[in-house]
Amino acid sequence: MHALIFGGNGRIARAMTRLLLARAWTVTSIIRNPQQGPGILALGRGQPGDIHVLQYDLRDLKTAQDAETLFNRTGATCAVFAAGSFSNPYAIDRDAAKAAIAAATSLPSVTKFLMISFPASRRKPAPWWNSRDIADYTSERAAYPDIGDAKIQADEYLVAMANPRRARGGGGQHAHAHAHGPPFQAISLRPTWLTTGRATGRVSIGETRALGQVSIEDVAAVAVEMLGREDVSGWFDLVAGDVEIQEAVDSVVQGAVDCIEGEDVEAIYKLAD
Ligand SMILES: NC(=O)c1ccc[n+]([C@@H]2O[C@H](COP(=O)([O-])OP(=O)(O)OC[C@H]3O[C@@H](n4cnc5c(N)ncnc54)[C@H](OP(=O)(O)O)[C@@H]3O)[C@@H](O)[C@H]2O)c1
Ligand SMILES: *[C@@H]1O[C@H](CO)[C@@H](O)[C@H](O)[C@H]1NC(C)=O
């Protein structure tokens, strides 16, 4: 597999890059500053996978065609959107993400899309939250209104665009109705506040509290575990916890957990182009 990582110099992105390369994936890391190149390429040293960098300012990623060009040039089969901008969330977290989503869901060669979001990216309090969680969600939404708004629109757009793609089927030479390609995986991984602590290898995924902490290394490990499988799709809230990562991912898949529960999914489907 070949992952194209938007926001490749980010903290989660760099941790994911190392783990993907260790699993012998190819990674193309999109960065905006060429000075970041050597540091990214160094992540591939001694690893079985291949690493490439591609310089591109995500403010220029405006249309599906812009993003298609990146997928076609690289031959990537998987997209990871790990970029984010406090100063410009509508241009990056929403518009660049939507361009990447539109391209990934329209190209039969791309079969996975993983977005890094956060648990407050939802329009209604989650059904499993208590009153404390709801208060935390409300104050987080109020503290970061634009980022929240941008992220939720990108999360919803991924769900909307993946829905007809799933019906059409996926890759290979049979990319028409009832195709035999792998199913399209649309994953919104939603870690709470990030910490720089070491990997613990243990987390809590799914119907978690609204607020907490989780280490960047553990987030990356969960993301890579999800991308390593063919059967993970949906919204997954993520906090520090005590379940071993592989087991935690397996358990949300077996339990058909999807943190989109409680949102108006039919209305979200209508947001597809
Ligand atoms: N901080 C938290 O506690 C938290 C919690 C949950 C979710 N999240 C979300 O998780 C995601 C990843 O988090 P993180 O801490 O890994 O993020 P990060 O380290 O801030 O990385 C974000 C990346 O986006 C890149 N970027 C921003 N504008 C760009 C542009 N115009 N062109 C190209 N690249 C651009 C940045 O590039 P440069 O390196 O060049 O600046 C940076 O590498 C973010 O979307 C964030 O909102 C964060
Ligand atoms: C990318 O490749 C696909 C499939 O070959 C093609 O249909 C599409 O036009 C290409 N897009 C761009 C922008 O080159």
Side-chain angles (χ1 to χ4, degrees), residues 6 61 80-85 88-105 113-118 120-123 141 145-163 184-190 234-235 260 263 268-269 271-273:
F6 298 83
L61 194 67
V80 174
F81 198 92
S85 171
N88 214 355
Y90 289 115
I92 305 301
D93 302 61
R94 183 189 62 191
D95 296 344
K98 286 179 72 174
I101 290 164
T105 50
F113 195 112
L114 184 141
M115 169 86 82
I116 303 291
S117 183
F118 66 106
S121 176
R122 54 186 308 126
R123 294 195 188 273
R141 289 284 311 209
D146 293 349
I147 292 181
D149 201 31
K151 288 261 190 238
I152 197 167
Q153 289 186 54
D155 278 331
E156 290 180 337
Y157 190 67
L158 178 56
V159 172
M161 294 299 280
N163 185 45
F184 189 85
Q185 290 172 252
I187 301 168
S188 170
L189 184 59
R190 308 152 65 84
W235 290 9
I260 202 169
E263 298 289 277
I268 291 174
Y269 286 156
L271 300 170
D273 297 331

Side-chain angles (χ1 to χ4, degrees), residues 64-73 106-109:
Q65 258 213 333
D66 295 336
E68 267 188 33
T69 305
L70 299 178
F71 285 110
N72 286 4
R73 264 173 64 188
S106 76
L107 291 171
S109 49

Side-chain angles (χ1 to χ4, degrees), residues 9-12 32 36 57-58 83-84 116-117 151 191 193-194:
N9 192 53
R11 301 179 302 167
I12 294 174
R32 59 174 152 180
Q36 298 161 348
D57 191 320
L58 295 180
I116 303 291
S117 183
K151 288 261 190 238
W193 289 104
L194 302 171

Side-chain angles (χ1 to χ4, degrees), residues 17-34:
T17 299
R18 260 192 296 100
L19 296 174
L20 288 168
L21 293 170
R23 287 196 182 204
W25 279 47
T26 300
V27 174
T28 298
S29 180
I30 302 179
I31 55 173
R32 59 174 152 180
N33 179 349

Side-chain angles (χ1 to χ4, degrees), residues 191-192 202-205 208-209 211-214 237-241:
T192 180
R202 291 176 182 272
V203 293
S204 174
I205 308 175
T208 68
R209 299 274 64 84
L211 201 65
Q213 297 195 331
V214 62
D237 293 4
L238 173 60
V239 301

Side-chain angles (χ1 to χ4, degrees), residues 210-258:
L211 201 65
Q213 297 195 331
V214 62
S215 83
I216 288 162
E217 292 293 333
D218 285 332
V219 175
V222 170
V224 168
E225 176 65 22
M226 288 180 163
L227 290 177
R229 300 177 60 132
E230 303 264 288
D231 55 359
V232 187
S233 219
W235 290 9
F236 302 103
D237 293 4
L238 173 60
V239 301
D242 55 14
V243 186
E244 194 274 319
I245 285 173
Q246 202 175 336
E247 192 186 321
V249 171
D250 199 54
S251 144
V252 289
V253 171
Q254 299 308 328
V257 171
D258 189 337

Side-chain angles (χ1 to χ4, degrees), residues 52-65:
H52 309 278
V53 297
L54 198 159
Q55 193 201 337
Y56 194 96
D57 191 320
L58 295 180
R59 285 175 302 185
D60 299 331
L61 194 67
K62 294 194 169 117
T63 66
Q65 258 213 333

